[in-house]
Tab-separated table of all heavy atoms in Angstrom:
chain	number	residue	atom	x	y	z
A	924	LYS	N	0.730	7.589	2.179
A	924	LYS	CA	0.083	8.799	1.887
A	924	LYS	C	1.105	10.095	1.876
A	924	LYS	O	1.813	10.098	3.019
A	924	LYS	CB	-1.132	8.991	2.830
A	924	LYS	CG	-2.057	10.289	2.393
A	924	LYS	CD	-3.237	10.157	3.352
A	924	LYS	CE	-4.107	11.458	2.905
A	924	LYS	NZ	-5.386	11.534	3.818
A	925	PRO	N	1.049	10.967	1.003
A	925	PRO	CA	2.087	12.016	1.149
A	925	PRO	C	1.827	12.910	2.297
A	925	PRO	O	0.672	13.194	2.667
A	925	PRO	CB	1.880	12.800	-0.125
A	925	PRO	CG	1.132	11.942	-1.185
A	925	PRO	CD	0.421	10.919	-0.223
A	926	THR	N	2.763	13.244	2.938
A	926	THR	CA	2.792	14.208	4.056
A	926	THR	C	2.768	15.556	3.626
A	926	THR	O	3.080	15.847	2.461
A	926	THR	CB	3.939	14.086	5.077
A	926	THR	OG1	5.145	14.400	4.363
A	926	THR	CG2	4.078	12.631	5.589
A	927	PHE	N	2.399	16.566	4.647
A	927	PHE	CA	2.458	17.918	4.240
A	927	PHE	C	3.857	18.378	3.835
A	927	PHE	O	4.043	19.050	2.719
A	927	PHE	CB	2.033	18.765	5.487
A	927	PHE	CG	2.121	20.207	5.122
A	927	PHE	CD1	1.118	20.981	4.707
A	927	PHE	CD2	3.337	20.890	5.583
A	927	PHE	CE1	1.214	22.358	4.528
A	927	PHE	CE2	3.511	22.373	5.331
A	927	PHE	CZ	2.330	23.024	4.735
A	928	LYS	N	4.772	17.778	4.448
A	928	LYS	CA	6.278	18.176	4.198
A	928	LYS	C	6.632	17.608	2.852
A	928	LYS	O	7.270	18.326	2.078
A	928	LYS	CB	7.110	17.443	5.278
A	928	LYS	CG	8.593	17.718	5.167
A	928	LYS	CD	9.429	17.178	6.225
A	928	LYS	CE	10.832	17.367	6.079
A	928	LYS	NZ	11.660	16.827	7.130
A	929	ASP	N	6.159	16.437	2.397
A	929	ASP	CA	6.543	15.942	1.107
A	929	ASP	C	5.759	16.806	0.017
A	929	ASP	O	6.394	17.176	-1.021
A	929	ASP	CB	5.823	14.396	0.969
A	929	ASP	CG	6.550	13.426	1.854
A	929	ASP	OD1	7.691	13.675	2.207
A	929	ASP	OD2	5.892	12.493	2.124
A	930	ALA	N	4.477	17.193	0.225
A	930	ALA	CA	3.792	17.955	-0.667
A	930	ALA	C	4.356	19.299	-0.825
A	930	ALA	O	4.494	19.803	-1.972
A	930	ALA	CB	2.268	17.994	-0.287
A	931	TYR	N	4.846	19.956	0.332
A	931	TYR	CA	5.397	21.208	0.338
A	931	TYR	C	6.633	21.258	-0.483
A	931	TYR	O	7.030	22.104	-1.296
A	931	TYR	CB	5.591	21.719	1.732
A	931	TYR	CG	6.217	23.186	1.794
A	931	TYR	CD1	5.391	24.258	1.529
A	931	TYR	CD2	7.557	23.319	2.070
A	931	TYR	CE1	5.969	25.535	1.599
A	931	TYR	CE2	8.141	24.573	1.981
A	931	TYR	CZ	7.255	25.820	1.774
A	931	TYR	OH	7.871	26.979	1.792
A	932	GLN	N	7.560	20.224	-0.253
A	932	GLN	CA	8.773	20.036	-0.935
A	932	GLN	C	8.420	19.935	-2.507
A	932	GLN	O	9.281	20.510	-3.321
A	932	GLN	CB	9.531	18.787	-0.496
A	932	GLN	CG	10.990	18.787	-0.962
A	932	GLN	CD	11.790	19.976	-0.522
A	932	GLN	OE1	11.794	20.342	0.638
A	932	GLN	NE2	12.497	20.608	-1.337
A	933	THR	N	7.526	19.249	-2.873
A	933	THR	CA	7.094	19.104	-4.270
A	933	THR	C	6.932	20.409	-4.874
A	933	THR	O	7.285	20.861	-5.931
A	933	THR	CB	5.958	18.131	-4.414
A	933	THR	OG1	6.340	16.823	-4.075
A	933	THR	CG2	5.513	18.066	-5.993
A	934	LEU	N	6.046	21.230	-4.161
A	934	LEU	CA	5.724	22.571	-4.571
A	934	LEU	C	6.961	23.410	-4.708
A	934	LEU	O	7.143	24.125	-5.779
A	934	LEU	CB	4.654	23.057	-3.728
A	934	LEU	CG	3.231	22.642	-3.780
A	934	LEU	CD1	2.543	23.274	-2.643
A	934	LEU	CD2	2.591	22.915	-5.107
A	935	LYS	N	7.813	23.430	-3.677
A	935	LYS	CA	8.980	24.216	-3.655
A	935	LYS	C	9.909	23.752	-4.843
A	935	LYS	O	10.440	24.576	-5.567
A	935	LYS	CB	9.753	23.904	-2.421
A	935	LYS	CG	10.860	24.894	-2.182
A	935	LYS	CD	11.510	24.683	-0.673
A	935	LYS	CE	12.712	25.484	-0.596
A	935	LYS	NZ	13.455	25.175	0.735
A	936	ASN	N	10.066	22.484	-5.079
A	936	ASN	CA	11.063	21.948	-6.070
A	936	ASN	C	10.532	22.347	-7.513
A	936	ASN	O	11.268	22.857	-8.358
A	936	ASN	CB	11.138	20.571	-6.072
A	936	ASN	CG	11.969	20.061	-4.931
A	936	ASN	OD1	12.656	20.732	-4.213
A	936	ASN	ND2	11.828	18.665	-4.570
A	937	ASN	N	9.153	22.341	-7.685
A	937	ASN	CA	8.646	22.664	-8.948
A	937	ASN	C	8.639	24.208	-9.218
A	937	ASN	O	9.061	24.491	-10.291
A	937	ASN	CB	7.137	22.211	-9.108
A	937	ASN	CG	7.016	20.721	-9.237
A	937	ASN	OD1	8.083	19.937	-9.351
A	937	ASN	ND2	5.743	20.218	-9.113
A	938	ALA	N	8.553	24.940	-8.150
A	938	ALA	CA	8.577	26.423	-8.316
A	938	ALA	C	10.008	26.751	-8.776
A	938	ALA	O	10.300	27.643	-9.569
A	938	ALA	CB	8.169	27.183	-7.088
A	939	GLU	N	11.050	26.222	-8.070
A	939	GLU	CA	12.373	26.488	-8.359
A	939	GLU	C	12.792	26.004	-9.723
A	939	GLU	O	13.526	26.790	-10.379
A	939	GLU	CB	13.274	25.691	-7.322
A	939	GLU	CG	13.197	26.309	-5.982
A	939	GLU	CD	14.006	25.587	-4.865
A	939	GLU	OE1	14.665	24.539	-5.185
A	939	GLU	OE2	14.066	26.010	-3.635
A	940	GLN	N	12.328	24.919	-10.146
A	940	GLN	CA	12.553	24.442	-11.496
A	940	GLN	C	11.975	25.316	-12.574
A	940	GLN	O	12.794	25.715	-13.527
A	940	GLN	CB	12.039	22.965	-11.627
A	940	GLN	CG	12.513	22.237	-13.021
A	940	GLN	CD	13.831	22.016	-13.057
A	940	GLN	OE1	14.544	21.835	-12.112
A	940	GLN	NE2	14.451	22.224	-14.210
A	941	LEU	N	10.826	25.724	-12.371
A	941	LEU	CA	10.210	26.706	-13.335
A	941	LEU	C	10.869	28.044	-13.320
A	941	LEU	O	10.977	28.605	-14.400
A	941	LEU	CB	8.755	26.911	-12.971
A	941	LEU	CG	7.786	25.713	-13.266
A	941	LEU	CD1	6.412	26.060	-12.685
A	941	LEU	CD2	7.768	25.472	-14.712
A	942	GLU	N	11.451	28.390	-12.188
A	942	GLU	CA	12.166	29.779	-12.151
A	942	GLU	C	13.487	29.685	-12.845
A	942	GLU	O	13.907	30.637	-13.492
A	942	GLU	CB	12.392	30.217	-10.756
A	942	GLU	CG	11.228	30.621	-9.948
A	942	GLU	CD	11.486	30.931	-8.410
A	942	GLU	OE1	12.592	30.672	-7.964
A	942	GLU	OE2	10.566	31.409	-7.847
A	954	THR	N	2.725	18.069	-16.842
A	954	THR	CA	3.003	17.205	-15.770
A	954	THR	C	3.253	17.908	-14.515
A	954	THR	O	2.814	17.525	-13.521
A	954	THR	CB	4.230	16.195	-16.092
A	954	THR	OG1	3.805	15.594	-17.325
A	954	THR	CG2	4.496	15.297	-15.077
A	955	THR	N	4.124	19.076	-14.570
A	955	THR	CA	4.524	19.785	-13.458
A	955	THR	C	3.341	20.352	-12.808
A	955	THR	O	3.153	20.401	-11.597
A	955	THR	CB	5.664	20.826	-13.827
A	955	THR	OG1	6.788	20.206	-14.448
A	955	THR	CG2	6.003	21.615	-12.631
A	956	VAL	N	2.388	20.922	-13.576
A	956	VAL	CA	1.298	21.636	-13.096
A	956	VAL	C	0.304	20.612	-12.338
A	956	VAL	O	-0.193	20.880	-11.318
A	956	VAL	CB	0.562	22.326	-14.190
A	956	VAL	CG1	-0.846	22.804	-13.749
A	956	VAL	CG2	1.451	23.513	-14.694
A	957	GLU	N	0.150	19.513	-13.059
A	957	GLU	CA	-0.603	18.397	-12.434
A	957	GLU	C	-0.171	17.946	-11.119
A	957	GLU	O	-0.918	17.754	-10.078
A	957	GLU	CB	-0.858	17.239	-13.350
A	957	GLU	CG	-1.646	17.554	-14.596
A	957	GLU	CD	-1.672	16.466	-15.646
A	957	GLU	OE1	-0.867	15.524	-15.555
A	957	GLU	OE2	-2.742	16.612	-16.479
A	958	GLU	N	1.117	17.675	-10.963
A	958	GLU	CA	1.818	17.332	-9.873
A	958	GLU	C	1.639	18.368	-8.797
A	958	GLU	O	1.429	18.180	-7.634
A	958	GLU	CB	3.349	17.077	-10.082
A	958	GLU	CG	4.052	16.540	-8.967
A	958	GLU	CD	5.501	16.361	-9.424
A	958	GLU	OE1	6.310	17.283	-9.420
A	958	GLU	OE2	5.953	15.156	-9.734
A	959	SER	N	1.847	19.571	-9.094
A	959	SER	CA	1.746	20.782	-8.157
A	959	SER	C	0.401	20.926	-7.683
A	959	SER	O	0.127	21.319	-6.534
A	959	SER	CB	2.207	22.131	-8.903
A	959	SER	OG	3.575	22.040	-9.232
A	960	ILE	N	-0.630	20.815	-8.432
A	960	ILE	CA	-1.995	20.858	-7.957
A	960	ILE	C	-2.311	19.749	-6.995
A	960	ILE	O	-2.909	20.077	-5.967
A	960	ILE	CB	-3.094	20.689	-9.169
A	960	ILE	CG1	-3.001	22.001	-10.085
A	960	ILE	CG2	-4.449	20.508	-8.732
A	960	ILE	CD1	-3.623	21.920	-11.416
A	961	LYS	N	-1.934	18.570	-7.178
A	961	LYS	CA	-2.064	17.586	-6.195
A	961	LYS	C	-1.402	17.826	-4.939
A	961	LYS	O	-1.851	17.747	-3.846
A	961	LYS	CB	-1.545	16.196	-6.728
A	961	LYS	CG	-2.375	15.486	-7.748
A	961	LYS	CD	-1.625	14.323	-8.233
A	961	LYS	CE	-2.419	13.623	-9.379
A	961	LYS	NZ	-1.814	12.452	-9.939
A	962	ALA	N	-0.143	18.347	-4.987
A	962	ALA	CA	0.651	18.769	-3.772
A	962	ALA	C	-0.128	19.894	-3.085
A	962	ALA	O	-0.259	19.874	-1.836
A	962	ALA	CB	2.032	19.138	-4.191
A	963	TYR	N	-0.421	20.834	-3.856
A	963	TYR	CA	-1.264	21.986	-3.185
A	963	TYR	C	-2.475	21.568	-2.497
A	963	TYR	O	-2.776	22.081	-1.394
A	963	TYR	CB	-1.654	23.032	-4.248
A	963	TYR	CG	-2.500	24.032	-3.809
A	963	TYR	CD1	-2.018	25.221	-3.085
A	963	TYR	CD2	-3.951	24.083	-4.030
A	963	TYR	CE1	-2.853	26.288	-2.611
A	963	TYR	CE2	-4.714	24.922	-3.564
A	963	TYR	CZ	-4.297	26.060	-2.888
A	963	TYR	OH	-5.044	27.115	-2.227
A	964	LYS	N	-3.299	20.692	-3.011
A	964	LYS	CA	-4.511	20.178	-2.348
A	964	LYS	C	-4.147	19.452	-1.040
A	964	LYS	O	-4.859	19.458	-0.163
A	964	LYS	CB	-5.215	19.208	-3.262
A	964	LYS	CG	-5.891	19.959	-4.397
A	964	LYS	CD	-6.692	19.149	-5.361
A	964	LYS	CE	-7.514	19.838	-6.491
A	964	LYS	NZ	-8.158	19.077	-7.410
A	965	ILE	N	-2.994	18.675	-1.039
A	965	ILE	CA	-2.638	17.984	0.162
A	965	ILE	C	-2.289	19.047	1.284
A	965	ILE	O	-2.823	18.820	2.383
A	965	ILE	CB	-1.364	16.987	-0.232
A	965	ILE	CG1	-1.862	15.779	-0.970
A	965	ILE	CG2	-0.687	16.491	1.158
A	965	ILE	CD1	-0.682	14.981	-1.599
A	966	CYS	N	-1.502	20.035	0.911
A	966	CYS	CA	-1.039	21.081	1.866
A	966	CYS	C	-2.344	21.771	2.397
A	966	CYS	O	-2.549	22.007	3.569
A	966	CYS	CB	-0.227	22.103	1.193
A	966	CYS	SG	1.499	21.365	0.709
Side-chain angles (χ1 to χ4, degrees):
K924 187 174 180 179
T926 64
F927 177 89
K928 185 177 180 179
D929 295 335
Y931 181 78
Q932 190 63 48
T933 296
L934 288 172
K935 186 176 174 182
N936 291 345
N937 288 351
E939 288 172 358
Q940 187 63 35
L941 289 172
E942 287 176 357
T954 301
T955 300
V956 169
E957 289 173 347
E958 186 180 78
S959 296
I960 289 170
K961 287 179 186 178
Y963 171 80
K964 287 180 179 180
I965 291 167
C966 290

